[in-house]
Amino acid sequence: MVEIVGVGFMKSGKTYYFDPEGAQFELGDMVIVETARGLELGHILIANREIDEEELVAPLKPIQRKATDDDLKRYHENLAKRDDAMKVCAEKIAKHKLEMKLIDVEFMIDGSKIVFYFSADGRVDFRELAKDLAGHFHNRIELRQIGVRDEAKMLGGIGICGRPLCCSKWLHDFQPVSIKMAKQQNLSLNPSKISGTCGRLMCCLNFEDKTYKELRKGMPKDNERVETPDGLAKVINVDYFNGKINTRGIEIDPDTGEEIFAQEIKSYTKDEIKRKKQKGKKNQHGDEIEEFADEAELRELEELMREF
């Protein structure tokens, strides 16, 4: 077992483990720690506790010290300088005619460097810009390019659900999200409807994907023919949350052999129907792989999302 404390930072919802080195810390204590970027101000999110050493993914770095009044004063001074630094950097970006969007600026607590965050569609040669900024601020300059998801995480905002963006509040790591997840959840495959503020597929599609996979097990697909207690029927749609399969009965015209669909919609549970033998593919564990007839449409939508 290893003793740790959890530290959070102002621009990240993630909790990082540090070695308290025998010192006791309380929730909310402000501390100075060393990260890959230098010395930073953080706050205690997890007080002293012991965890299994196997939970650690990297060697623990020690807590440098509790933040002093001077540290907090310097932090607020840095915040006060942020707007001016953003203005200067934006002017110099325009001067050098660079295709980049300035997102934020951060001053290291020890004054060792200034980090400018920006987004761009491709690679940007910012060497002359960095020299210009270093000459103006008389400090070490780091220009860090971030993706659109990290941009949304850093800027924050309100999602279509009316709540603050998950990435800016509590979501630690971005997980892959695919169009197929939206398809499985019977959502409109309109990019504007299933995209977040960042322009990428909404992260919440991934949150519910596992639940939908469980609910879909053993359920027929739309338009599938099934045997019901009342005879052959066509599946109109499936209410996964209530476990209901909505169908229209099918009768065969004795003269033409054509299918005639009943007007009345009847609902059944999956135990009340009998599906025709499915020839679905299976993965290495023997589980059936969910497939869709319009795989070409999904690939087209994936391509569209990349351009959106």
Side-chain angles (χ1 to χ4, degrees):
M1 302 296 286
V2 179
E3 186 180 24
I4 59 93
V5 290
V7 177
F9 300 96
M10 305 306 171
K11 295 186 182 298
S12 172
K14 192 171 183 178
T15 301
Y16 297 86
Y17 291 155
F18 285 86
D19 184 355
E21 294 193 320
Q24 293 296 312
F25 295 94
E26 302 294 332
L27 290 179
D29 283 350
M30 304 301 290
V31 294
I32 302 296
V33 296
E34 183 180 359
T35 70
R37 298 184 299 178
L39 291 181
E40 292 192 71
L41 177 70
H43 52 282
I44 299 296
L45 294 176
I46 301 175
N48 297 62
R49 71 164 60 168
E50 289 189 343
I51 64 170
D52 196 311
E53 193 169 355
E54 294 180 355
E55 294 184 37
L56 301 178
V57 294
L60 287 178
K61 288 187 176 182
I63 297 283
Q64 295 294 316
R65 64 178 187 275
K66 283 189 176 182
T68 63
D69 290 341
D70 286 341
D71 291 324
L72 296 177
K73 180 181 177 182
R74 191 178 302 113
Y75 173 75
H76 287 100
E77 288 173 349
N78 288 341
L79 286 181
K81 294 187 291 185
R82 175 186 175 278
D83 289 344
D84 286 339
M86 289 280 287
K87 181 178 179 181
V88 169
C89 187
E91 290 173 351
K92 294 191 178 297
I93 288 173
K95 171 187 169 184
H96 291 279
K97 298 180 180 179
L98 296 174
E99 294 293 329
M100 55 194 291
K101 178 183 177 183
L102 183 62
I103 304 300
D104 202 1
V105 60
E106 184 177 11
F107 291 78
M108 294 295 101
I109 195 73
D110 59 353
S112 60
K113 65 179 176 182
I114 306 172
V115 183
F116 291 90
Y117 298 92
F118 72 93
S119 63
D121 291 335
R123 295 177 63 86
V124 178
D125 185 354
F126 50 69
R127 288 174 293 183
E128 292 303 317
L129 173 62
K131 291 177 184 177
D132 209 350
L133 290 171
H136 180 90
F137 291 103
H138 304 290
N139 203 334
R140 181 183 168 198
I141 300 296
E142 180 180 338
L143 287 155
R144 181 172 298 180
Q145 185 171 355
I146 61 175
V148 290
R149 287 184 183 271
D150 289 303
E151 179 183 342
K153 180 183 181 76
M154 190 169 287
L155 295 178
I158 302 297
I160 60 173
C161 59
R163 297 178 62 84
L165 300 180
C166 297
C167 58
S168 66
K169 285 298 180 183
W170 61 269
L171 185 62
H172 298 164
D173 300 302
F174 294 113
Q175 299 297 324
V177 186
S178 70
I179 285 287
K180 184 171 283 190
M181 292 179 181
K183 181 74 173 178
Q184 287 189 139
Q185 296 172 35
N186 291 332
L187 297 176
S188 167
L189 298 185
N190 182 337
S192 65
K193 300 290 187 182
I194 55 177
S195 299
T197 304
C198 61
R200 298 293 185 265
L201 288 170
M202 294 186 294
C203 292
C204 53
L205 295 179
N206 191 40
F207 305 160
E208 301 174 6
D209 187 52
K210 185 177 179 181
T211 299
Y212 273 92
K213 282 181 178 177
E214 288 297 319
L215 293 173
R216 291 177 70 94
K217 284 184 178 179
M219 288 293 198
K221 301 178 179 65
D222 290 355
N223 300 320
E224 185 177 327
R225 268 58 172 173
V226 295
E227 289 289 344
T228 73
D230 300 307
L232 184 65
K234 174 185 175 182
V235 176
I236 303 303
N237 56 57
V238 181
D239 182 349
Y240 295 107
F241 293 103
N242 292 313
K244 295 294 185 180
I245 302 162
N246 300 316
T247 68
R248 287 188 190 276
I250 300 175
E251 292 185 3
I252 307 298
D253 188 307
D255 297 324
T256 64
E258 293 182 353
E259 294 180 339
I260 302 174
F261 297 100
Q263 293 298 312
E264 183 183 2
I265 295 178
K266 293 185 178 181
S267 299
Y268 305 93
T269 66
K270 66 180 179 180
D271 294 328
E272 293 176 318
I273 67 166
K274 184 178 180 181
R275 300 178 66 188
K276 294 183 179 181
K277 189 174 182 181
Q278 304 296 308
K279 296 181 179 180
K281 294 181 180 179
K282 295 186 177 182
N283 61 20
Q284 59 182 343
H285 304 295
D287 299 322
E288 187 174 328
I289 300 173
E290 184 68 46
E291 292 192 326
F292 301 102
D294 49 359
E295 289 291 342
E297 179 192 2
L298 294 185
R299 287 193 295 272
E300 183 179 338
L301 284 166
E302 291 279 10
E303 193 65 34
L304 179 62
M305 286 302 302
R306 282 191 282 271
E307 298 173 1
F308 182 66

